[in-house]
Amino acid sequence: MKKSVLLTRSKLANNELKEKFISQDFDFLACNLIKYKLFPVKAEYINQFSDLIITSNFAANNIPDAPRANMPVWVVGEKSANILKNKGYKVEFYASSGENLKRQIPDNLYNTMLYLSGEYITVNMPFGITRKILYKTIYLESLSEKDVIRYKEGIDYIVLYSENCAKTLLKLLVENNLVNYLEKTTCIAISSKVARVFEQVFKNVVVCHD
């Protein structure tokens, strides 16, 4: 019998993950927890700053190409770093988390840096850094009747990529009285911070960094 895996990102990200593991014998269940509303930023605006900070894959995918050759960027995630390299930016440093990245930024750059982010962030960058909202994240507010029925049958794995998504999913599972049906589920979290959300009610939570 196929192992079931609940994917908990945006529709696009969930589809990309399905494609990546298409050769594996999994039953993928897509719970599209988030969608985005983009507020485009022009390259001319970015060019006013010495360095750029990017902490999300969605932001990396949706900013313009570098407004000047080798503009320095400080980034979370290797995947985002590669996207930005291909857009002409010079990756000064990439980290596994926002907290780690924050510790690496020299204080002499604070007043000349731009941080392009979503509306909600879990790590505030140092005082002096200009933050501009690039997109708004809209979280799923309810599960369909079809989803509730399927989840009651049990899920082998739930994959968790962000703290806010984990909080959203847990809220939906509790509201629909699904936690008891998933007591044997293994929850795979990208960080300890994300894991802590599900550890409140789930016994089998493991952390797989990055």
Side-chain angles (χ1 to χ4, degrees):
M1 187 175 179
K2 289 184 178 180
K3 295 289 187 180
S4 55
V5 182
L6 185 66
L7 306 178
T8 62
R9 305 178 84 182
S10 66
K11 183 176 181 179
L12 177 62
N14 286 339
N15 286 339
E16 287 179 351
L17 199 57
K18 282 185 191 178
E19 287 297 317
K20 185 175 182 181
F21 290 97
I22 197 167
S23 63
Q24 305 296 317
D25 196 25
F26 290 121
D27 176 21
F28 286 109
L29 309 173
C31 183
N32 303 323
L33 281 178
I34 52 178
K35 56 184 178 179
Y36 301 101
K37 181 178 181 180
L38 184 66
F39 305 106
V41 174
K42 293 184 177 180
E44 291 80 5
Y45 177 77
I46 296 174
N47 199 35
Q48 298 176 41
F49 298 87
S50 68
D51 295 66
L52 184 62
I53 298 172
I54 297 291
T55 59
S56 81
N57 190 248
F58 184 81
N61 274 305
N62 286 279
I63 64 170
D65 289 347
R68 60 181 185 272
N70 294 317
M71 180 176 182
V73 62
W74 302 72
V75 59
V76 171
E78 185 176 4
K79 184 176 180 181
S80 294
N82 289 332
I83 291 169
L84 295 167
K85 283 179 186 176
N86 291 333
K87 289 189 172 188
Y89 293 89
K90 178 187 176 185
V91 176
E92 287 291 325
F93 186 85
Y94 80 81
S96 60
S97 69
E99 284 288 359
N100 188 7
L101 185 70
K102 180 178 179 178
R103 290 192 291 268
Q104 301 299 324
I105 299 172
D107 56 11
N108 64 301
L109 292 178
Y110 291 174
N111 291 322
T112 62
M113 300 185 85
L114 172 65
Y115 177 24
L116 291 176
S117 74
E119 181 181 15
Y120 302 107
I121 56 174
T122 55
V123 177
N124 290 309
M125 290 298 155
F127 179 78
I129 293 175
T130 299
R131 179 184 169 215
K132 185 172 180 64
I133 295 173
L134 179 67
Y135 61 93
K136 180 179 180 180
T137 305
I138 302 166
Y139 292 93
L140 186 67
E141 295 184 351
S142 63
L143 295 175
S144 69
E145 184 178 349
K146 181 180 177 181
D147 286 337
V148 172
I149 292 171
R150 173 59 188 86
Y151 298 170
K152 283 183 178 180
E153 296 174 7
I155 299 170
D156 293 299
Y157 302 102
I158 296 175
V159 188
L160 304 167
Y161 283 89
S162 77
E163 184 179 15
N164 286 333
C165 277
K167 288 178 178 177
T168 299
L169 179 60
L170 183 59
K171 174 176 173 287
L172 294 173
L173 295 179
V174 171
E175 285 177 352
N176 289 278
N177 299 312
L178 289 168
V179 173
N180 289 339
Y181 293 94
L182 304 174
E183 60 182 2
K184 294 182 180 178
T185 300
T186 298
C187 305
I188 304 172
I190 197 170
S191 69
S192 299
K193 191 173 185 179
V194 174
R196 280 194 290 272
V197 176
F198 262 57
E199 285 172 344
Q200 300 173 61
V201 293
F202 282 82
K203 295 178 181 177
N204 303 320
V205 182
V206 297
V207 177
C208 294
H209 295 285
D210 289 333

